[in-house]
Amino acid sequence: MRSRRAFKSAGALGLLALSATACSGQASRLGMPVPISDQAERMLKLWQGSWIAALAVGVVVWGLIIWAVLFHRKRSDDLPPQVRYNMPIEILYTAVPFVIIGVLFYFTARDENYVEKTSANPAVTVDVTGFQWSWQFDYKEKDAAGQEKTVASVVGTPVAPNAPTGAKPVMTIPSGKTIRVRLHSNDVIHSFWVPALLYKKDIMPGPKTNEFEFTANKTGTYEGRCAELCGVDHSRMLFQLRVVTPEQYAKFIADSKAKAAGGVQ
Ligand SMILES: [Cu+2]
């Protein structure tokens, strides 16, 4: 009787802990930052879904362990009934892991296809070049002849993490538009990482140009960094992603064009 009561209160405590976690937004993201793009939101859902699946498996396993501990303790020196080969149970615990893997695989493949999808005509194309040890952002536009040209360019220098605002190179992009990022390197492998995008991708030197697209849905300034140890000043390879309204972005490009035109004279 006493053990049954202990079992019940342990269960109630577990439920309480679970619901307390679900109430706060930070905890419900399970360690992930606030997502700022459509793709990041999808990835957060995959992450949360995987945790729910893992927790469900955990609850069954913990329940079985607690049940065995409470109700099948050693009570005498008699050997318990000796059984072997319970076919239904053996089939069950062979089949169930396959079902779990199948479900996780399905959602992972579905969301990976969504996140890695590229479109024929992205609204903005940025050539991102990682170099030892900073970043260059080149904004590309097609002219009337369909020829690509650079309409704005930002080149950074290595900075300390506590550098004053403005020291880090800034990648400016409009919200609500499809952004194509093309990754280039002339020296070693770097990795483009903005935690708020819940995404990072390696930058390969040589002919391979990695690409990805995203649509930001929250304006603001977000930290970015290199996520591939690329040399002595790797930790100073910092930048910022600034998501602005389409009007502010148009002004940013117009200002850069005006500046470039002024420089030619
Ligand atoms: Cu790097």
Side-chain angles (χ1 to χ4, degrees):
M1 266 297 108
R2 197 187 299 156
S3 54
R4 193 156 297 182
R5 207 173 298 147
F7 190 63
K8 268 189 189 156
S9 48
L13 262 179
L15 266 181
L16 191 73
L18 266 183
S19 50
T21 343
C23 284
S24 99
Q26 177 124 14
S28 72
R29 290 196 308 274
L30 298 151
M32 289 291 145
V34 176
I36 60 153
S37 71
D38 298 350
Q39 288 79 357
E41 281 171 6
R42 177 66 80 85
M43 271 181 286
L44 180 64
K45 284 203 187 97
L46 178 67
W47 175 243
Q48 289 168 321
S50 305
W51 267 88
I52 289 168
L55 272 177
V57 173
V59 164
V60 171
V61 173
W62 296 324
L64 287 172
I65 290 172
I66 292 169
W67 172 70
V69 167
L70 294 182
F71 300 109
H72 295 278
R73 279 177 295 179
K74 185 177 175 183
R75 294 202 168 83
S76 71
D77 281 335
D78 297 343
L79 272 180
Q82 302 296 295
V83 289
R84 58 173 81 174
Y85 303 128
N86 185 320
M87 252 322 167
I89 285 183
E90 301 218 4
I91 289 171
L92 187 76
Y93 63 57
T94 309
V96 167
F98 278 102
V99 173
I100 295 171
I101 291 167
V103 170
L104 290 177
F105 183 86
Y106 166 76
F107 286 108
T108 305
R110 187 196 68 176
D111 293 348
E112 195 173 313
N113 286 339
Y114 172 71
V115 166
E116 291 295 324
K117 199 171 57 196
T118 51
S119 56
N121 279 311
V124 171
T125 300
V126 188
D127 271 328
V128 173
T129 306
F131 59 91
Q132 287 170 318
W133 289 276
S134 194
W135 303 87
Q136 178 168 344
F137 306 114
D138 294 312
Y139 297 79
K140 299 289 180 175
E141 261 176 28
K142 280 196 181 130
D143 60 15
Q147 207 62 276
E148 241 184 30
K149 58 184 173 56
T150 306
V151 289
S153 195
V154 174
V155 186
T157 50
V159 283
N162 54 0
T165 334
K168 294 173 191 166
V170 177
M171 177 174 165
T172 306
I173 55 128
S175 68
K177 305 273 182 193
T178 311
I179 315 296
R180 165 87 55 97
V181 178
R182 298 191 300 213
L183 301 165
H184 310 275
S185 167
N186 294 325
D187 42 45
V188 298
I189 302 174
H190 301 278
S191 182
F192 179 94
W193 183 31
V194 177
L197 292 178
L198 273 70
Y199 190 91
K200 64 181 161 206
K201 193 159 232 179
D202 273 9
I203 309 174
M204 315 303 289
K208 172 72 184 163
T209 301
N210 277 345
E211 298 184 325
F212 69 97
E213 284 184 7
F214 69 97
T215 306
N217 53 27
K218 280 189 185 72
T219 54
T221 302
Y222 308 95
E223 298 300 319
R225 52 184 69 100
C226 178
E228 179 72 52
L229 182 58
C230 58
V232 68
D233 275 340
H234 159 70
S235 65
R236 298 172 70 201
M237 212 170 146
L238 307 170
F239 68 98
Q240 284 179 323
L241 176 74
R242 195 156 64 95
V243 183
V244 296
T245 62
E247 295 74 35
Q248 286 168 321
Y249 177 76
K251 186 176 179 310
F252 160 74
I253 293 293
D255 287 352
S256 307
K257 281 181 181 167
K259 211 189 280 175
V264 172
Q265 284 169 356

